[in-house]
Amino acid sequence: MEYNFRQIEQRWQKVWADNGTYRVSNHSDKRPFYVLDMFPYPSGAGLHVGHPLGYIASDIYSRYKRQCGFNVLHPMGFDAYGLPAEQYAIQTGQHPEKTTEQNIKRYKEQLGKIGFCYDWDREVRTCDPRFYHWTQWAFEKMFDSYFCNQTQKAHPISELIAHLEQHGTDGLDVAQTEPLSLTADEWNAMSETQKQQVLMNYRIAYLADTKVNWCEQLGTVLANDEVSEGLSVRGGYPVEQRVMRQWSLRVSAYAQRLLDGLNDIDWSDSLKETQRNWIGRSEGAEMQFRLAGKDLSFTIFTTRADTVYGVTFMVLAPESEYVSQVVTAEQREAVDEYLRWVRRRTERERISDRRVTGVFTGSYAINPLTEKEIPIYISDYVLAGYGTGAIMAVPAHDSRDYAFAKHFGLPIIPLIEGADVSEQSFDAKEGVMMNSGLLNGMQVKDAIAAMKQHIAKTGIGRVKVNYRLRDAIYSRQRYWGEPFPVYYKDGMPYLIPESCLPLRLPEVSDFKPTTTGQPPLGNAQLWAWDEKNLRVVDKAKIDDKQVFPLELCTMPGFAGSSAYYLRYMDPHNDNALVGKDAVDYWRQVDLYLGGSEHATGHLIYSRFWNKFLCDIGVAREQEPFRKLINQGMIQGRSSFVYRYIGEGATGNLYISYNLIDNPEYKGKIQPIHVAINLVKNDILDIDAFRHWMPEFKDAEFVYADGTTDIDNPYLGTPTEKQYICGSAVEKMSKTYFNVVNPDDIVESYGADTLRLYEMFLGPLEISKPWDVNGIDGVHRFLKKLWSMYENMTDSEPTADELRSLHKLIKKVTWDIEHFSFNTSIPAFMICQSELQQLGCTSKQVLDTLAVVLAPFAPHLAEQMWHLTRTERAESESVCDAKWPEWNEKYLELTTQKYPVQFNGKVRFTIEVAKDTPREEVERIVMADEQTVRYLNGATAKKVIVVPGRIVNIVM
RNA sequence: GCGGCAUUGGCGUAAUUGGUAGCCGCGCCAGACUUAGGAUCUGGUGACGAUAGUCGUGUAGGUUCGAGUCCUAUAUGCCGCACCA
């Protein structure tokens, strides 16, 4: 019986769909388990073979958990809002709604062919109003909240108002944009608009003039994680710094909680480390420096309080607000010129060109410990956004300060004994202090602590923790995103009432972004808010007293993906993001799979978002994703032919890869990408190649054996005429002709082979090239396995069959629990081959085998499972078959013919006293009943004895 | 510069976590069946050696009865952060 995978896979996919096999209920006595894939952007290119890697792994795990008796939530949806979808729409000149719809359809078709156990009833799309209703709702909650540093929690803004009414800003320890000082009387005397302005300083979702990453080509601002080395991550366009009035989320308020939370979750070390870097906590001190001759002081941040005796100058960031107060009349012109120059420089120039630049302000500050006057400079090596935008410079022990001091001829005072600072600074935090007054003789570490204590006691400064993490810019001057539920009255934003959500994305005459920063929603006619009648109206009515303009920006891509995992729990709930019952039952994602490229974007934002939702009582767990696995990328494997371009070249002769280093060809060949479907096992299909493109129609070859068609025009068996292609690992891309479409693999080998092969390729978490060369081996295994089901009988399983089966169960169970799916495939192959050698025909064994295979190759397993028991109804699925337990009893069973082995070895433990001599141990071993049974009369080749521990016997 | 991860046959990898390195697959070699094979099946395949055997997990040390696995250096590669004070 042939392995007709097409028929088998179509049949069961239909049965599963018809019976709703994968539908999941929120009401179950079973324990819940939530397995989630990062939902995809439905891009125009469709899925390539790399996308399903993580999906297959999570599918295996979900199916396994389900068979173990869990109620498994395993949903799928689409991250349809945001830049990629919109860029694709612009490229194809269609409305993003239409392209998104088409792309989703395509994705679902492709996913459907691979046999995933998704509950499609729970599908979410971020661009669906029923979904973005809750994105907008969450924004409103953040707008209506502030963050208290004492409780480290979000609180309703009404509590803050109450505090301001009674105490002003006195005793307020909250996250804020800038420090404010108000009395209660001042607050109470304020107008409504003034009050709103004050509150904006504290809201978690706030509007402020901020320095943003503006990308002209994309026509929008970008978050920090969307920019890399001064270029936009998407598209690679230049990004400049601009001050714009933008919405932001106060993510930085949660920095400490985001950091602490990492200790409680099961993520890879590298990913946690990436997040720790991104949050960038550093412990240090803030110190006051007085301005000489004026009643003005400013604050700096340092992690090296111990080096304060070595401060020989100060530096301000060009954007620092202190600058204007410090510049003297004589220096004003020089400073202005420098500031103009700094402003002209793009972010990219600043990063690539690190020459020392700066200008003297004319003013001096007083070192609070030495009381000496030190000059104040401005330089762009000091960043306005970190710390206070002002530093104390210690050239002896900081390489940047050192370079600056050398350039401007400023003094360098070494503070650590034995440190040679004549050529470079001594940055290490080790050694014994000198030239440092009360710190002399201390180790650096102790000196840091001592100085912190000293400055706190004397009031010069205070201990302070700083974070690198910035607030997330939340506005995008784009069309294809969630509209803000916000309208403007007297220039201040107000929320649209919750009951009026969702605020739907309006139709516009032109959705393309502009280079001026004018958002496309400005083109919408129906885009004003009638405050009295609570509805969206024509913006021509804005002259009315009760009609106000709506926000024109939309939310960024990460808005929709920040809480979607909660929505899957309760996707049809129109009254809440997620119902209490649902979230109480599912709680959090137990296993999350996706790429590590989201480490500093989505995975920070959704953790932040979840913590906020926790604070307001919506989410149940502090961390959204308990365990996270990053699947590796699948790269493409490109193939090449080598065109001869040496002397007398016609441009039509191609040299086999094995010959290109021959002296007659070396350096005279040009590699050309060739479509990988024309190549199998690195051998070129010559006919197909000649028909591939017109330019290769008359291609001639120097074959692997060095012959050409002219040498032997009619001989030439296929082996002689082989043309070998070269190869390289590259990104999967259309231009390299190396994209492998999963549909094609499913078509020629079947979904089960695809699933098995993707797992077989190597460990889940590492990147690896897609290499078709091995797929036949996996396909062959499934064929062989299938052929075993032809001759089933009701015979009792033999001991050997049971041992082989239970060995498999043990191995596969272990593998799945350790996400080592790649090592399960060999286990299946060994089991199959052993059973075949034993001539296994036992239905009982084959039945269980199908159950164990089910997570990996569900279609074939389902077919086999129904073959072993023909009375099973079609609706009864192997998905619900109980996961078998392995039994040590069977593993111990042994016969003359098949001794218990692992990799051809016998191993067990026997207790022996620690100092027993080796000969004695050997005697004990040989006399041991169990050992004798294992050895079965054979003589041991070698006995390795470790007193007190383990005995290894090699037969 | 700081941090994380990796390095095992011709290739992808395995070694149940400190217990005889190289499972399984690809490729290759040999054989069988075939008019034929890019089909199928069987056997072999780390290196050196005729054999016995010896040597082998990037390099150099260390801990241990025992190290691919732990420790210390070092090299190479990949990834993250980076003028973050």
Side-chain angles (χ1 to χ4, degrees), chain A residues 783-802:
Chain A
K783 276 205 263 193
K784 285 191 235 170
L785 187 68
W786 172 242
S787 70
M788 289 175 63
Y789 282 72
E790 278 180 41
N791 313 312
M792 286 180 301
T793 62
D794 288 321
S795 60
E796 280 295 304
T798 67
D800 295 324
E801 289 167 11
L802 285 173

Side-chain angles (χ1 to χ4, degrees), chain A residues 221-276:
Chain A
V221 301
L222 297 168
N224 283 352
D225 71 284
E226 293 168 328
V227 180
S228 175
E229 305 201 352
L231 297 176
S232 67
V233 171
R234 202 156 287 279
Y237 303 116
V239 170
E240 57 179 297
Q241 305 288 308
R242 252 198 206 183
V243 173
M244 290 173 81
R245 197 156 174 78
Q246 299 290 318
W247 286 101
S248 294
L249 301 185
R250 212 176 292 283
V251 180
S252 60
Y254 284 78
Q256 190 59 48
R257 274 172 68 186
L258 288 169
L259 194 61
D260 293 342
L262 290 173
N263 300 329
D264 308 326
I265 48 183
D266 187 2
W267 292 16
S268 74
D269 289 343
S270 69
L271 194 73
K272 284 186 183 180
E273 205 52 38
T274 300
Q275 291 215 338
R276 286 193 190 106

Side-chain angles (χ1 to χ4, degrees), chain A residues 291-454:
Chain A
L291 192 62
K294 277 195 188 172
D295 185 20
L296 183 71
S297 69
F298 40 106
T299 313
I300 59 96
F301 174 76
T302 182
T303 53
R304 293 293 302 273
D306 57 309
T307 60
V308 69
Y309 286 93
V311 176
T312 53
F313 58 101
M314 293 192 58
V315 189
L316 304 178
E319 301 85 353
S320 167
E321 58 204 48
Y322 296 129
V323 167
S324 58
Q325 303 165 24
V326 167
V327 179
T328 58
E330 306 85 71
Q331 287 299 103
R332 182 157 309 272
E333 197 166 319
V335 168
D336 283 349
E337 194 186 323
Y338 181 69
L339 294 183
R340 273 197 300 275
W341 178 80
V342 166
R343 238 172 263 139
R344 259 204 322 276
R345 289 222 300 177
T346 63
E347 186 66 7
R348 190 160 176 72
E349 281 166 352
R350 203 182 68 79
I351 289 164
S352 57
D353 172 22
R354 294 198 173 164
R355 275 177 307 170
V356 176
T357 65
V359 64
F360 180 48
T361 60
S363 294
Y364 293 82
I366 297 176
N367 183 330
L369 270 107
T370 62
E371 296 291 331
K372 277 190 190 143
E373 288 200 353
I374 50 174
I376 304 173
Y377 282 78
I378 298 171
S379 174
D380 69 349
Y381 84 88
V382 176
L383 305 176
Y386 185 76
T388 60
I391 62 155
M392 61 175 213
V394 186
H397 302 291
D398 182 289
S399 52
R400 298 153 304 183
D401 298 344
Y402 187 87
F404 194 87
K406 280 277 175 189
H407 188 262
F408 287 93
L410 296 159
I412 297 167
I413 307 173
L415 302 171
I416 293 174
E417 285 176 19
D420 174 15
V421 296
S422 58
E423 292 298 322
Q424 55 177 1
S425 62
F426 181 83
D427 291 13
K429 292 184 188 177
E430 57 193 32
V432 178
M433 304 298 299
M434 63 176 193
N435 298 337
S436 297
L438 60 109
L439 300 177
N440 281 340
M442 288 189 190
Q443 286 290 324
V444 170
K445 269 197 182 122
D446 304 327
I448 293 176
M451 182 50 73
K452 277 186 186 171
Q453 228 171 19
H454 178 75

